[in-house]
Amino acid sequence: MGSPPEAGFAHEMEKPWHLVRVAAFFISTCCVTRAQYRLFDQHYEYAADFIEREDRQPPSGWDEPVDQRPIGGATEFDAYCFALWLGEGYRLPSEVEWEGAAWGGIDRNAHPDFVIGVSPFTSECTADQVNHDDGLTMDESIPMKAGLYRGYAVPVRFAGFSVNGFGLWQMSGNVWEWCDSVWQPDLFSATVCETRYFSSESASADFFDRKWNSARGGSWDCIAWFCRCSCRDCSELWSHSTGIRLSRDRFPPDM
């Protein structure tokens, strides 16, 4: 987990690069769609899909039917309530689970320069692989270039993209994904002393005491740097491009 020492673009919060073992778990192949979420909250609406840039025009098709796009503008409490409503032990993935799933089984010791879990595997990612703002480079210090900016979240099973080695769609880009991990800037502490609330008996009480929550994956309005599988970020509340991907334990806790 994390970024290798030779990764010049990595943030200190992605170090040290180390092996982490986790119990077996399931994770959904896609983020929760707006149609699915509306079964839980019939009043859910999301209108702010496209964010205009001075040099960009709304792309063709951005205002087409949106029910198969991922929910956007989700708070972590929205995710918590949706998972409780579904039952069956559904929850958000931990940061460790999320990153392990995002890489799709890639041998990172053999390929330390890879940045995302879908092909073609290189040290960069493009808008042909990941829905992000390709007008911005991996290096935040380099000015905007001319590139593809869709300006909206695409359907969760977007035909133009590939699944990773575990059959998961869009672990990078499209929408940020909440993790059930209290934010810790030190990666080793975050993996060894990981604090999770969805499985806590005092979840409802503890939830409102949290300040920073982990979010992973980047989104349609981010530069490629944030879409790397190793990139770590956090949020105090939510954004218009934050969605939900659920997971659950493979084996019940009492087994």
Side-chain angles (χ1 to χ4, degrees), residues 11 19 22 24 47 87 102 107 146 153 155 157 172 175 188 218 232 235:
H11 194 279
L19 179 67
V22 295
D107 182 350
R157 289 183 173 86
S172 294
V175 289
F188 191 74
R232 305 180 65 227
S235 177

Side-chain angles (χ1 to χ4, degrees), residues 77-158:
F77 190 65
D78 291 333
Y80 174 68
C81 293
F82 181 69
L84 286 180
W85 174 76
L86 279 177
E88 303 295 330
Y90 282 105
R91 56 175 175 78
L92 290 177
S94 69
E95 264 205 276
V96 174
E97 290 171 336
W98 189 95
E99 186 169 326
W103 284 111
I106 290 173
D107 182 350
R108 298 197 62 215
N109 285 310
H111 305 287
D113 57 325
F114 290 174
V115 293
I116 57 173
V118 294
S119 64
F121 304 107
T122 68
S123 59
E124 283 276 350
C125 71
T126 70
D128 293 328
Q129 303 164 288
V130 172
N131 185 21
H132 71 285
D133 189 349
D134 204 26
L136 301 174
T137 64
M138 188 76 79
D139 186 341
E140 293 181 277
S141 67
I142 299 176
M144 182 181 291
K145 61 180 181 180
L148 177 60
Y149 172 60
R150 292 183 176 87
Y152 62 99
V154 297
V156 295
R157 289 183 173 86
F158 184 57

Side-chain angles (χ1 to χ4, degrees), residues 1-75:
M1 184 172 178
S3 292
E6 60 269 29
F9 48 74
H11 194 279
E12 286 302 310
M13 293 185 297
E14 301 165 24
K15 301 175 182 179
W17 196 34
H18 62 290
L19 179 67
V20 182
R21 298 183 184 278
V22 295
F25 65 97
F26 292 111
I27 190 166
S28 56
T29 56
C30 304
C31 285
V32 174
T33 67
R34 299 176 192 185
Q36 291 170 331
Y37 191 79
R38 205 170 283 117
L39 295 174
F40 162 67
D41 179 3
Q42 62 180 325
H43 301 295
Y44 171 76
E45 293 293 341
Y46 183 65
D49 258 307
F50 179 72
I51 294 185
E52 295 191 40
R53 299 272 176 86
E54 290 182 1
D55 60 339
R56 314 292 175 87
Q57 295 297 317
S60 173
W62 76 273
D63 56 349
E64 64 191 14
V66 299
D67 274 359
Q68 293 309 306
R69 295 182 191 174
I71 179 179
T75 67

Side-chain angles (χ1 to χ4, degrees), residues 168-243:
L168 308 179
W169 290 88
Q170 301 188 79
M171 294 294 288
S172 294
N174 216 28
V175 289
W176 286 97
E177 300 177 16
W178 288 116
C179 292
D180 184 24
S181 299
V182 176
W183 172 252
Q184 298 188 64
D186 178 72
L187 178 61
F188 191 74
S189 297
T191 55
V192 174
C193 306
E194 189 171 49
T195 304
R196 295 164 57 180
Y197 280 100
F198 270 59
S199 56
S200 169
E201 292 181 359
S202 57
S204 59
D206 292 341
F207 194 93
F208 294 100
D209 292 330
R210 306 171 69 166
K211 185 171 183 181
W212 296 100
N213 311 303
S214 299
R216 304 292 294 261
S219 70
W220 53 267
D221 61 346
C222 286
I223 64 172
W225 190 86
F226 287 107
C227 298
R228 296 174 300 113
C229 293
S230 297
C231 183
R232 305 180 65 227
D233 205 352
C234 60
S235 177
E236 190 172 14
L237 293 172
W238 60 279
S239 80
H240 58 270
S241 56
T242 305

